Amino acid sequence: MINLLELYVKLVGLVLVGVILGRKLPAIFPTRLGQFLFWVGVPISIVAFLRQTDLSGQIWIAPAIAYLAILLGAFLAWLVIKGQAYLTNSHPQPSTQGSLILASMVGNTGYLGFPITLAMVGKEYFAWALFYDLLGTLFGAYGLGVLLAARFGNTAQNHQQMAKAILINPALWSFGFGLLFRQVSIPPLIEFSLNTLAWVALALSLILIGMRLAHLGSLYKLKSAAISIFIKMLLVPLVLGSSLRFFGVTGEAAQVVVLQMAMPPAFATVVLAETFDLDRDLAVTTLAVGVMVLLVTLPIWLWLF
Protein backbone atom coordinates (compact mmCIF):
# COMPACT_ATOMS: atom_id res chain seq x y z
CA MET A 1 0.00 0.00 0.00
CA ILE A 2 2.85 2.39 0.83
CA ASN A 3 4.48 1.66 -2.55
CA LEU A 4 1.16 2.31 -4.28
CA LEU A 5 0.68 5.64 -2.49
CA GLU A 6 4.22 6.66 -3.37
CA LEU A 7 3.55 5.72 -6.99
CA TYR A 8 0.35 7.77 -7.04
CA VAL A 9 2.13 10.80 -5.61
CA LYS A 10 4.88 10.56 -8.22
CA LEU A 11 2.57 9.62 -11.08
CA VAL A 12 -0.07 12.27 -10.43
CA GLY A 13 2.50 14.86 -9.39
CA LEU A 14 4.67 14.53 -12.49
CA VAL A 15 1.67 14.43 -14.83
CA LEU A 16 0.27 17.57 -13.18
CA VAL A 17 3.64 19.27 -13.57
CA GLY A 18 3.41 18.37 -17.25
CA VAL A 19 -0.11 19.78 -17.52
CA ILE A 20 1.02 23.08 -15.96
CA LEU A 21 4.12 23.32 -18.12
CA GLY A 22 2.12 22.34 -21.19
CA ARG A 23 -0.10 25.38 -20.69
CA LYS A 24 2.79 27.75 -19.96
CA LEU A 25 5.50 26.73 -22.40
CA PRO A 26 5.43 27.16 -26.19
CA ALA A 27 3.46 24.52 -28.11
CA ILE A 28 6.66 23.27 -29.74
CA PHE A 29 8.21 22.26 -26.40
CA PRO A 30 6.31 18.93 -25.95
CA THR A 31 7.33 17.99 -29.49
CA ARG A 32 10.99 18.67 -28.73
CA LEU A 33 10.79 16.80 -25.44
CA GLY A 34 9.13 13.86 -27.17
CA GLN A 35 11.89 13.81 -29.77
CA PHE A 36 14.55 13.88 -27.06
CA LEU A 37 12.94 10.99 -25.21
CA PHE A 38 12.41 9.03 -28.43
CA TRP A 39 16.00 9.36 -29.64
CA VAL A 40 17.94 9.65 -26.35
CA GLY A 41 16.00 9.25 -23.10
CA VAL A 42 14.13 6.00 -23.69
CA PRO A 43 17.13 4.24 -25.32
CA ILE A 44 19.33 5.17 -22.34
CA SER A 45 16.67 3.83 -19.96
CA ILE A 46 16.46 0.56 -21.85
CA VAL A 47 20.22 0.05 -21.79
CA ALA A 48 20.47 0.98 -18.10
CA PHE A 49 17.64 -1.22 -16.83
CA LEU A 50 18.60 -4.17 -19.00
CA ARG A 51 21.86 -4.33 -17.05
CA GLN A 52 19.90 -4.99 -13.86
CA THR A 53 17.08 -7.23 -15.05
CA ASP A 54 16.76 -11.00 -15.04
CA LEU A 55 16.50 -12.52 -18.52
CA SER A 56 16.03 -16.10 -17.36
CA GLY A 57 12.84 -18.10 -17.45
CA GLN A 58 10.04 -17.80 -20.00
CA ILE A 59 10.59 -14.14 -20.76
CA TRP A 60 10.12 -14.64 -24.50
CA ILE A 61 6.48 -15.48 -23.88
CA ALA A 62 5.79 -11.82 -22.96
CA PRO A 63 5.48 -10.58 -26.58
CA ALA A 64 3.34 -13.61 -27.43
CA ILE A 65 0.91 -12.63 -24.67
CA ALA A 66 1.03 -9.05 -25.97
CA TYR A 67 -0.12 -10.26 -29.39
CA LEU A 68 -2.92 -12.26 -27.77
CA ALA A 69 -4.06 -9.18 -25.86
CA ILE A 70 -3.95 -7.05 -29.01
CA LEU A 71 -5.92 -9.57 -31.07
CA LEU A 72 -8.45 -10.19 -28.29
CA GLY A 73 -9.04 -6.46 -27.84
CA ALA A 74 -9.53 -5.95 -31.58
CA PHE A 75 -11.88 -8.95 -31.81
CA LEU A 76 -14.01 -7.82 -28.86
CA ALA A 77 -14.26 -4.30 -30.29
CA TRP A 78 -15.35 -5.77 -33.64
CA LEU A 79 -18.01 -7.83 -31.86
CA VAL A 80 -19.33 -4.72 -30.13
CA ILE A 81 -19.52 -2.86 -33.44
CA LYS A 82 -21.40 -5.73 -35.08
CA GLY A 83 -23.70 -6.06 -32.07
CA GLN A 84 -24.54 -2.36 -32.12
CA ALA A 85 -25.23 -2.54 -35.84
CA TYR A 86 -27.56 -5.49 -35.35
CA LEU A 87 -29.48 -3.90 -32.46
CA THR A 88 -29.77 -0.40 -33.91
CA ASN A 89 -29.81 -1.33 -37.60
CA SER A 90 -27.12 1.28 -38.25
CA HIS A 91 -23.35 1.20 -38.60
CA PRO A 92 -20.92 3.71 -37.06
CA GLN A 93 -18.76 5.64 -39.49
CA PRO A 94 -15.73 3.62 -40.65
CA SER A 95 -13.43 6.23 -39.11
CA THR A 96 -15.14 5.75 -35.72
CA GLN A 97 -14.93 1.98 -36.03
CA GLY A 98 -11.21 2.23 -36.72
CA SER A 99 -10.49 4.44 -33.70
CA LEU A 100 -12.63 2.25 -31.43
CA ILE A 101 -10.76 -0.91 -32.46
CA LEU A 102 -7.31 0.70 -32.18
CA ALA A 103 -8.02 2.07 -28.71
CA SER A 104 -9.20 -1.38 -27.60
CA MET A 105 -6.03 -3.17 -28.65
CA VAL A 106 -2.93 -0.98 -28.15
CA GLY A 107 -1.83 0.22 -24.72
CA ASN A 108 0.65 2.79 -23.38
CA THR A 109 3.11 0.10 -22.31
CA GLY A 110 6.20 2.29 -22.73
CA TYR A 111 5.99 5.84 -21.38
CA LEU A 112 3.42 4.79 -18.75
CA GLY A 113 3.93 1.05 -18.38
CA PHE A 114 7.68 1.23 -17.74
CA PRO A 115 7.66 3.57 -14.70
CA ILE A 116 4.66 1.80 -13.16
CA THR A 117 6.29 -1.61 -13.56
CA LEU A 118 9.56 -0.39 -12.07
CA ALA A 119 7.79 1.22 -9.12
CA MET A 120 5.47 -1.68 -8.27
CA VAL A 121 7.47 -4.79 -9.22
CA GLY A 122 11.10 -3.73 -9.49
CA LYS A 123 14.04 -3.81 -11.86
CA GLU A 124 14.46 -7.59 -11.74
CA TYR A 125 11.34 -8.14 -13.85
CA PHE A 126 11.62 -5.04 -16.02
CA ALA A 127 12.63 -7.18 -19.00
CA TRP A 128 9.11 -8.66 -19.07
CA ALA A 129 7.68 -5.17 -19.57
CA LEU A 130 10.40 -4.34 -22.08
CA PHE A 131 9.80 -7.46 -24.20
CA TYR A 132 6.04 -6.91 -23.99
CA ASP A 133 6.38 -3.35 -25.29
CA LEU A 134 9.17 -3.52 -27.88
CA LEU A 135 8.43 -6.94 -29.36
CA GLY A 136 4.67 -6.82 -28.83
CA THR A 137 3.01 -3.41 -28.59
CA LEU A 138 5.34 -1.68 -31.06
CA PHE A 139 4.66 -4.14 -33.88
CA GLY A 140 1.02 -4.41 -32.88
CA ALA A 141 0.55 -0.65 -33.19
CA TYR A 142 2.62 0.00 -36.30
CA GLY A 143 1.99 -3.37 -37.92
CA LEU A 144 -1.57 -4.58 -37.43
CA GLY A 145 -2.60 -1.12 -36.28
CA VAL A 146 -1.46 0.45 -39.56
CA LEU A 147 -3.31 -2.18 -41.58
CA LEU A 148 -6.52 -1.57 -39.65
CA ALA A 149 -6.14 2.20 -39.83
CA ALA A 150 -5.63 1.99 -43.58
CA ARG A 151 -8.69 -0.26 -43.86
CA PHE A 152 -11.00 2.13 -41.98
CA GLY A 153 -9.32 5.43 -42.87
CA ASN A 154 -9.90 7.83 -45.73
CA THR A 155 -6.34 8.41 -46.83
CA ALA A 156 -3.80 6.41 -48.77
CA GLN A 157 -0.43 6.00 -47.08
CA ASN A 158 2.98 4.76 -48.11
CA HIS A 159 3.38 1.58 -46.08
CA GLN A 160 7.10 1.54 -46.84
CA GLN A 161 7.43 4.71 -44.80
CA MET A 162 5.64 3.04 -41.88
CA ALA A 163 7.96 0.01 -42.13
CA LYS A 164 10.95 2.37 -42.17
CA ALA A 165 9.65 4.11 -39.04
CA ILE A 166 9.66 0.75 -37.23
CA LEU A 167 13.13 -0.25 -38.42
CA ILE A 168 14.80 3.03 -37.41
CA ASN A 169 13.10 3.05 -34.00
CA PRO A 170 16.02 3.72 -31.59
CA ALA A 171 14.30 1.74 -28.82
CA LEU A 172 14.71 -1.45 -30.84
CA TRP A 173 18.37 -0.75 -31.57
CA SER A 174 19.07 0.17 -27.96
CA PHE A 175 17.35 -3.06 -26.93
CA GLY A 176 19.82 -5.08 -29.02
CA PHE A 177 22.75 -3.01 -27.83
CA GLY A 178 21.62 -3.33 -24.22
CA LEU A 179 21.55 -7.11 -24.45
CA LEU A 180 25.22 -7.05 -25.48
CA PHE A 181 26.26 -4.19 -23.18
CA ARG A 182 24.91 -5.93 -20.07
CA GLN A 183 27.90 -8.26 -20.27
CA VAL A 184 30.38 -5.38 -20.16
CA SER A 185 31.83 -4.28 -16.82
CA ILE A 186 31.86 -0.49 -16.27
CA PRO A 187 33.09 1.70 -13.36
CA PRO A 188 30.58 2.29 -10.53
CA LEU A 189 30.45 6.05 -11.21
CA ILE A 190 29.45 5.48 -14.85
CA GLU A 191 26.91 2.85 -13.76
CA PHE A 192 25.41 5.31 -11.28
CA SER A 193 25.28 8.08 -13.89
CA LEU A 194 23.61 5.75 -16.38
CA ASN A 195 20.95 4.75 -13.85
CA THR A 196 20.35 8.40 -12.88
CA LEU A 197 19.82 9.37 -16.51
CA ALA A 198 17.43 6.44 -16.94
CA TRP A 199 15.25 7.53 -14.01
CA VAL A 200 15.31 11.15 -15.19
CA ALA A 201 14.10 9.99 -18.61
CA LEU A 202 11.19 8.10 -17.03
CA ALA A 203 10.22 11.16 -15.00
CA LEU A 204 10.32 13.28 -18.16
CA SER A 205 8.10 10.75 -19.93
CA LEU A 206 5.40 11.25 -17.29
CA ILE A 207 5.77 15.03 -17.59
CA LEU A 208 5.41 14.65 -21.36
CA ILE A 209 2.14 12.77 -20.88
CA GLY A 210 0.85 15.68 -18.80
CA MET A 211 1.98 18.21 -21.40
CA ARG A 212 0.14 16.33 -24.14
CA LEU A 213 -2.97 15.99 -21.99
CA ALA A 214 -2.92 19.76 -21.51
CA HIS A 215 -3.42 20.22 -25.24
CA LEU A 216 -6.25 17.72 -25.69
CA GLY A 217 -9.55 19.06 -26.95
CA SER A 218 -13.11 18.26 -25.88
CA LEU A 219 -14.07 14.87 -24.49
CA TYR A 220 -17.58 14.56 -25.87
CA LYS A 221 -17.35 10.97 -27.14
CA LEU A 222 -17.39 9.39 -23.70
CA LYS A 223 -19.90 6.65 -24.59
CA SER A 224 -17.79 5.20 -27.39
CA ALA A 225 -14.61 5.77 -25.37
CA ALA A 226 -16.09 3.82 -22.45
CA ILE A 227 -16.47 0.79 -24.70
CA SER A 228 -12.81 0.80 -25.72
CA ILE A 229 -11.61 1.44 -22.18
CA PHE A 230 -13.78 -1.36 -20.77
CA ILE A 231 -12.35 -3.80 -23.31
CA LYS A 232 -8.73 -2.60 -23.13
CA MET A 233 -8.33 -1.93 -19.41
CA LEU A 234 -10.75 -4.41 -17.81
CA LEU A 235 -11.95 -7.27 -19.99
CA VAL A 236 -8.72 -8.21 -21.78
CA PRO A 237 -6.44 -8.18 -18.69
CA LEU A 238 -9.05 -10.09 -16.69
CA VAL A 239 -9.49 -12.83 -19.30
CA LEU A 240 -5.83 -13.25 -20.23
CA GLY A 241 -4.53 -12.51 -16.73
CA SER A 242 -6.60 -15.39 -15.37
CA SER A 243 -5.05 -17.66 -18.00
CA LEU A 244 -1.38 -16.80 -17.40
CA ARG A 245 -0.79 -19.79 -15.13
CA PHE A 246 -1.53 -22.07 -18.10
CA PHE A 247 1.43 -20.44 -19.85
CA GLY A 248 3.61 -21.00 -16.79
CA VAL A 249 3.70 -17.28 -15.95
CA THR A 250 3.19 -16.67 -12.23
CA GLY A 251 4.28 -14.37 -9.39
CA GLU A 252 5.93 -11.06 -10.21
CA ALA A 253 6.26 -11.94 -13.90
CA ALA A 254 2.49 -12.39 -14.14
CA GLN A 255 1.97 -9.09 -12.30
CA VAL A 256 4.14 -7.25 -14.83
CA VAL A 257 2.29 -8.77 -17.80
CA VAL A 258 -1.12 -7.94 -16.30
CA LEU A 259 -0.04 -4.36 -15.60
CA GLN A 260 1.10 -3.99 -19.21
CA MET A 261 -2.16 -5.42 -20.52
CA ALA A 262 -4.13 -3.03 -18.28
CA MET A 263 -2.43 0.17 -19.46
CA PRO A 264 -4.69 2.84 -21.02
CA PRO A 265 -4.80 3.35 -24.80
CA ALA A 266 -1.51 4.46 -26.30
CA PHE A 267 -0.56 7.75 -27.90
CA ALA A 268 -0.03 5.68 -31.05
CA THR A 269 -3.81 5.52 -31.44
CA VAL A 270 -3.96 9.32 -31.78
CA VAL A 271 -1.00 9.27 -34.19
CA LEU A 272 -2.68 6.67 -36.38
CA ALA A 273 -6.03 8.48 -36.16
CA GLU A 274 -4.42 11.68 -37.42
CA THR A 275 -2.36 9.91 -40.06
CA PHE A 276 -5.20 7.89 -41.55
CA ASP A 277 -8.05 10.37 -40.97
CA LEU A 278 -9.87 8.27 -38.38
CA ASP A 279 -12.03 9.61 -35.54
CA ARG A 280 -9.44 11.73 -33.74
CA ASP A 281 -11.90 12.99 -31.12
CA LEU A 282 -12.64 9.43 -30.05
CA ALA A 283 -8.93 8.54 -29.95
CA VAL A 284 -8.18 11.61 -27.82
CA THR A 285 -11.08 10.92 -25.46
CA THR A 286 -10.02 7.31 -24.83
CA LEU A 287 -6.49 8.49 -24.17
CA ALA A 288 -7.44 11.12 -21.59
CA VAL A 289 -10.14 9.10 -19.83
CA GLY A 290 -7.95 5.99 -19.80
CA VAL A 291 -5.23 7.76 -17.81
CA MET A 292 -7.79 8.77 -15.18
CA VAL A 293 -9.36 5.30 -15.06
CA LEU A 294 -5.91 3.80 -14.44
CA LEU A 295 -5.83 5.41 -10.99
CA VAL A 296 -8.87 3.29 -10.07
CA THR A 297 -7.98 0.03 -11.83
CA LEU A 298 -4.30 -0.15 -10.85
CA PRO A 299 -4.85 -1.24 -7.21
CA ILE A 300 -7.45 -3.77 -8.41
CA TRP A 301 -4.93 -5.55 -10.63
CA LEU A 302 -2.26 -5.43 -7.94
CA TRP A 303 -4.71 -7.03 -5.50
CA LEU A 304 -5.97 -9.69 -7.93
CA PHE A 305 -2.49 -10.67 -9.12
Side-chain angles (χ1 to χ4, degrees):
M1 181 60 70
I2 294 177
N3 289 341
L4 184 61
L5 291 175
E6 290 179 354
L7 172 64
Y8 274 22
V9 170
K10 295 175 182 177
L11 183 65
V12 175
L14 289 172
V15 171
L16 285 179
V17 168
V19 171
I20 295 172
L21 292 177
R23 294 174 177 173
K24 299 292 184 182
L25 296 176
I28 192 63
F29 191 86
T31 300
R32 297 301 185 209
L33 178 58
Q35 292 173 342
F36 169 77
L37 290 173
F38 181 77
W39 291 105
V40 180
V42 172
I44 287 178
S45 297
I46 291 172
V47 172
F49 292 127
L50 266 179
R51 293 182 60 83
Q52 305 170 53
T53 191
D54 182 10
L55 298 182
S56 62
Q58 297 178 290
I59 192 171
W60 289 98
I61 203 172
I65 297 173
Y67 295 133
L68 286 177
I70 289 170
L71 292 174
L72 179 59
F75 176 69
L76 292 174
W78 177 81
L79 283 181
V80 169
I81 292 171
K82 293 301 180 182
Q84 285 183 333
Y86 177 78
L87 294 174
T88 63
N89 198 28
S90 64
H91 288 80
Q93 291 294 325
S95 60
T96 299
Q97 295 180 41
S99 289
L100 194 151
I101 293 175
L102 286 174
S104 301
M105 56 184 266
V106 182
N108 193 340
T109 55
Y111 287 139
L112 200 54
F114 286 174
I116 288 177
T117 297
L118 286 166
M120 301 312 303
V121 186
K123 300 176 184 178
E124 295 79 4
Y125 291 88
F126 177 69
W128 284 83
L130 194 59
F131 277 50
Y132 189 105
D133 178 71
L134 292 182
L135 302 183
T137 299
L138 177 64
F139 291 103
Y142 294 103
L144 178 60
V146 167
L147 294 177
L148 288 173
R151 165 66 177 79
F152 291 101
N154 300 318
T155 58
Q157 296 293 323
N158 186 341
H159 293 148
Q160 290 183 346
Q161 292 179 349
M162 289 295 179
K164 181 180 178 181
I166 296 176
L167 293 177
I168 66 172
N169 191 317
L172 282 178
W173 291 101
S174 66
F175 176 66
F177 174 77
L179 290 176
L180 298 176
F181 188 64
R182 62 184 271 113
Q183 309 296 332
V184 178
S185 178
I186 59 177
L189 180 59
I190 297 179
E191 185 87 53
F192 173 79
S193 301
L194 187 64
N195 289 332
T196 301
L197 290 174
W199 284 106
V200 169
L202 289 182
L204 289 176
S205 70
L206 292 174
I207 292 175
L208 176 61
I209 289 176
M211 297 179 76
R212 287 178 170 171
L213 289 176
H215 292 283
L216 295 181
S218 61
L219 306 177
Y220 69 92
K221 293 205 171 182
L222 288 175
K223 183 177 179 181
S224 297
I227 296 173
S228 291
I229 291 172
F230 177 77
I231 292 173
K232 173 68 189 67
M233 300 182 66
L234 294 174
L235 199 53
V236 169
L238 181 62
V239 172
L240 292 183
S242 302
S243 307
L244 288 179
R245 63 181 181 277
F246 297 110
F247 296 96
V249 182
T250 59
E252 287 85 353
Q255 195 174 62
V256 171
V257 172
V258 170
L259 288 176
Q260 289 291 73
M261 285 191 288
M263 286 298 108
F267 281 110
T269 60
V270 177
V271 173
L272 293 176
E274 292 176 339
T275 302
F276 290 91
D277 196 20
L278 299 177
D279 191 333
R280 183 183 182 276
D281 289 335
L282 176 56
V284 168
T285 301
T286 57
L287 177 65
V289 176
V291 172
M292 293 183 284
V293 170
L294 179 65
L295 298 177
V296 178
T297 58
L298 183 58
I300 296 175
W301 299 123
L302 293 172
W303 175 67
L304 288 176
F305 297 92

